[in-house]
Amino acid sequence: MSQTRPAAVVILAAGEGTRMRSSTPKVLHSLAGRTLLGHVVHVARTLHPDQIVTVVGHGRDLVGEHLTEIDPDVITVVQEEQNGTGHAVRIALDALAGVEGTIVVLSGDSPLMTTQTLLALCQAHEGELNSATVLTATVQDPTGYGRVIRAVDGTVESIVEQSDADEGQLRVREVNSGMYAFTAGPLREALNQLTTDNSQGEEYLTDVVALMRSAALRVSAVSAAHPDEILGINDRAQLAHAGEVIRDRRNRELMLSGVTIKDPSTTWIDVNVDVAPEAVLLPDTQLLGATSVGAGAIVGPRVWLLDTEVGEDAHVRDATCELAVIGAQATVGPYTYLRPGTILDRGAKVGGFVEIKNSRVGEGSKVPHLSYVGDAQIGSDTNIGAATVFVNFDGENKHRTIIGDSVRIGSDTMLVAPVTIGDGAYTAAGSVITDDVPAGAMAVARARQRIINGWVQRKRPGSSSAQAAQRAEATGEDTGQTGSDISQS
Ligand code: UD1
Ligand code: CA
C-alpha cells in the first residue's frame, strides 16, 4: 500500500455546542484523558499532513490556548460568525493559499475516528481520482445526519441535510460523517459557489458535492470500518456513549497485547496510560492520565490511579493514588490514599487506612496500619507502628521527618517534625517524639502508668464493672485491694 499523505487537514471546531449545556466549549470536554478536539488533532497527526488548520469561533480563547498546549504547530483561524460548515472550510482555505493536493476535513466533535479509516479515505480519494470523497457509515438510526444519495454507478450524487430531505431521502440509512477528502482546486471553486439557500440559511459544506457533480467531477464515498467511528458528540449522553466505545477499544487492545482484564466493563483506562503485558487488572479500576503499570502487577479491585507509576509485580487494591510511584513488588491497600510525591521503593508495604504525601518509603519498609505520613523520608527495612502520625504541620509551616534504616517506630507514635530518627533506633508505643533520636537508642516520651486500686467499686458502685470486679475478688483474683492503695508500675 502506498502511503498517502494529505497536504492539509482542516478541523472544524467553531460551533457552540449548545446541547452540551456547558460553559466549557464543547470540543474541550474530555474523553479518556484527552479533549474531544485533542482526539481529532491526534488522529490528524497520524496522517502526517504538511499542515493542520483548526477553525475556531465559540470559546476561541480557551480552544486556541488548548491547541497551543497540545500541538503548537496547529494553525488556528477564527470564524467570527458561524455561517455554516462550508463557510468554515472556506476560511480555513484562506490560510492554505497555494496548497494543492488532498485536503482532509474533520469535525472537532467527532473523536472516535481512526487512522486506518482515514488512510482508506485518502487512498480511495487519490486512487479513484475523485474531487471529493465522503466518509460515510450506514447506521440504524440516521436521524440528524445528512443522507448520502448515491447514483446508480455507486458514486455520490449529493448529500441532503435532514431538514432539507424529502420522505424517500429520509429513509436512506447511509449518512455523511462530516469527514471528507477533497482535492484543493475543485474544492476552492465549489466553495466559491455556495449559497445559503436552504432550511438553515447556512453555507453547507455538503452542497459542494452536487456542485462538483454538475461540473462533471467525480465524487465517491468510503465507509468507515465501524459505524461508531463517525459518532459526533452533541450532548453529554453521547459523550458518555463515546466514553464506552473508547473504553472497549482500549481494553480490547490491551487484552490482545497480553494484559488480563477481569471485568472490562468496569475498567477505565485513559488513552495515554501504559499497561505492560502480564499485568492483571481487577474490577472497578480506573487508570488515568500518565499512569503506567508494570508487568506482573496486580491492580484492583477498586483502584483509582492518576499519573501514578506501578512497578513490576506490585500489588495495589482498594486505593486512591495521585502522582505516586509504587515500586516493584510493593503492596498497597486495602483502603490506602497515596498523595502527590509519594515514592514507595521496592518491596515496601503500605496497608489499611494509611495516607501518605510527599514522602519516600525505603526498600522493604512498612507502614501497615492507620497512619499519616507527610513530608518524610523513611530508610529501608523500617517498620512504622500502627496509628503513627507524622506531625508535619505547625499551623503555619510544614516540616520534614527523617527516619533511618531498620528503625522500629512504636504504635501510636507522634513524630513532631522537624525530627530525625537515627538508624536502628526504637520509639516506645504512645510516644510524642519532639527531639532527635540517636542511632540505636530507645526513645520513650509518655506519662508513666498509675494504678488506683479499688477505684471502680468506690466510684461506680453497683455498675456491671463493679460487679465483675467483685466476682474477681471472690475467686481470689488479684484486684490489688490488699496492696497499697496507689501503686506504680
Ligand atoms: C454536519 C453535516 C451533516 C453530517 C454531520 C455529521 C453539514 C451542512 N452537515 O451536520 O451532513 O451528517 O455533520 O456529524 O455540514 N462548524 C463550524 N462553523 C460553522 C458551523 C459548524 O466550525 O459555521 C463546525 C462545528 O463546530 C462542528 C462541525 O463544524 O464541529 C459540524 O457542524 P454541526 O453544526 O455540528 O453540523 P451538523 O448539523 O452535525
Ligand atoms: Ca454535529
Side-chain angles (χ1 to χ4, degrees):
M1 272 201 303
S2 71
Q3 186 71 15
T4 44
R5 257 161 41 100
V9 176
V10 170
I11 300 173
L12 304 185
E16 188 172 8
T18 26
R19 282 172 284 171
M20 291 299 277
R21 300 190 179 278
S22 176
S23 57
T24 302
K26 173 164 85 173
V27 294
L28 296 189
H29 280 258
S30 64
L31 183 67
R34 245 185 224 145
T35 60
L36 300 183
L37 184 55
H39 284 279
V40 180
V41 170
H42 181 85
V43 77
R45 271 289 166 229
T46 64
L47 303 177
H48 305 292
D50 296 329
Q51 296 176 79
I52 297 178
V53 177
T54 300
V55 182
V56 300
H58 276 278
R60 74 184 70 153
D61 294 343
L62 287 172
V63 176
E65 258 170 52
H66 177 66
L67 282 168
T68 313
E69 222 173 88
I70 62 168
D71 191 336
D73 294 333
V74 170
I75 301 163
T76 56
V77 299
V78 176
Q79 186 191 24
E80 295 289 345
E81 273 176 66
Q82 281 66 61
N83 294 329
T85 47
H87 180 246
V89 172
R90 197 142 55 80
I91 289 177
L93 289 193
D94 291 346
L96 293 170
V99 168
E100 294 303 325
T102 300
I103 296 182
V104 170
V105 173
L106 302 178
S107 197
D109 64 355
S110 299
L112 300 178
M113 187 39 56
T114 63
T115 305
Q116 184 202 351
T117 290
L118 290 177
L119 284 178
L121 176 74
C122 292
Q123 259 154 19
H125 182 74
E126 287 169 20
E128 297 172 14
L129 305 175
N130 297 330
S131 292
T133 310
V134 184
L135 186 62
T136 70
T138 300
V139 296
Q140 281 306 318
D141 177 12
T143 310
Y145 286 103
R147 308 300 204 276
V148 176
I149 310 303
R150 298 249 194 181
V152 276
D153 64 357
T155 58
V156 177
E157 199 122 284
S158 63
I159 297 172
V160 183
E161 290 307 292
Q162 162 103 16
S163 49
D164 301 296
D166 64 33
E167 242 173 74
Q169 292 166 333
L170 285 176
R171 276 197 296 274
V172 173
R173 291 197 296 120
E174 186 180 13
V175 301
N176 172 24
S177 66
M179 293 171 254
Y180 322 77
F182 292 108
T183 305
L187 176 61
R188 280 199 184 89
E189 272 176 40
L191 287 172
N192 287 331
Q193 299 168 51
L194 286 181
T195 66
T196 54
D197 185 16
N198 53 55
S199 66
Q200 300 182 60
E202 289 182 352
E203 290 181 35
Y204 289 171
L205 179 57
T206 46
D207 285 351
V208 157
V209 170
L211 286 166
M212 285 176 170
R213 287 297 294 219
S214 57
L217 297 169
R218 187 182 153 91
V219 181
S220 182
V222 163
S223 283
H226 194 287
D228 282 344
E229 291 184 37
I230 73 148
L231 281 177
I233 310 300
N234 296 308
D235 58 39
R236 295 185 201 231
Q238 289 169 330
L239 182 65
H241 177 60
E244 287 171 5
V245 171
I246 243 175
R247 175 200 64 198
D248 291 347
R249 264 190 204 171
R250 186 84 183 101
N251 286 347
R252 188 178 161 73
E253 208 173 74
L254 288 169
M255 289 187 283
L256 295 182
S257 79
V259 175
T260 295
I261 302 182
K262 181 86 189 261
D263 182 11
S265 69
T266 64
T267 304
W268 296 82
I269 303 174
D270 277 357
V271 288
N272 285 322
V273 170
D274 282 326
V275 188
E278 304 285 11
V280 176
L281 306 179
L282 298 176
D284 278 319
T285 288
Q286 295 185 47
L287 308 179
L288 310 176
T291 290
S292 64
V293 176
I298 303 174
V299 177
R302 294 170 299 278
V303 167
W304 186 96
L305 303 182
L306 175 61
D307 301 332
T308 288
E309 188 183 317
V310 179
E312 291 184 4
D313 300 312
H315 193 167
V316 184
R317 54 180 290 207
D318 294 279
T320 297
C321 310
E322 181 174 351
L323 274 167
V325 177
I326 296 168
Q329 291 163 28
T331 65
V332 174
Y335 316 118
T336 305
Y337 182 23
L338 302 183
R339 292 166 50 196
T342 298
I343 299 172
L344 308 183
D345 285 342
R346 171 180 289 272
K349 177 190 160 74
V350 177
F353 306 102
V354 172
E355 174 177 336
I356 302 185
K357 76 119 207 202
N358 189 31
S359 296
R360 180 165 199 143
V361 179
E363 189 167 335
S365 288
K366 297 175 180 167
V367 190
H369 338 268
L370 301 157
S371 290
Y372 171 65
V373 180
D375 303 308
Q377 185 180 319
I378 298 174
S380 60
D381 181 44
T382 281
N383 191 77
I384 307 297
T388 291
V389 173
F390 287 61
V391 184
N392 61 329
F393 185 48
D394 63 12
E396 297 288 341
N397 297 301
K398 301 277 167 66
H399 303 280
R400 289 187 66 75
T401 299
I402 314 276
I403 296 188
D405 297 336
S406 301
V407 167
R408 301 287 176 260
I409 299 294
S411 292
D412 199 33
T413 296
M414 299 295 117
L415 296 160
V416 182
V419 70
T420 298
I421 314 292
D423 290 343
Y426 277 55
T427 67
S431 289
V432 177
I433 303 296
T434 52
D435 298 326
D436 291 353
V437 180
M442 158 65 92
V444 188
R446 63 184 183 208
R448 283 215 166 263
Q449 179 172 315
R450 283 201 308 152
I451 297 288
I452 306 170
N453 286 319
W455 186 93
V456 172
Q457 277 147 301
R458 285 200 301 280
K459 299 291 193 188
R460 300 285 184 270
S463 67
S464 65
S465 301
Q467 286 161 18
Q470 192 83 52
R471 287 194 297 276
E473 207 174 359
T475 56
E477 209 174 291
D478 180 19
T479 58
Q481 289 288 41
T482 52
S484 61
D485 198 36
I486 294 177
S487 72
Q488 291 192 328
S489 62

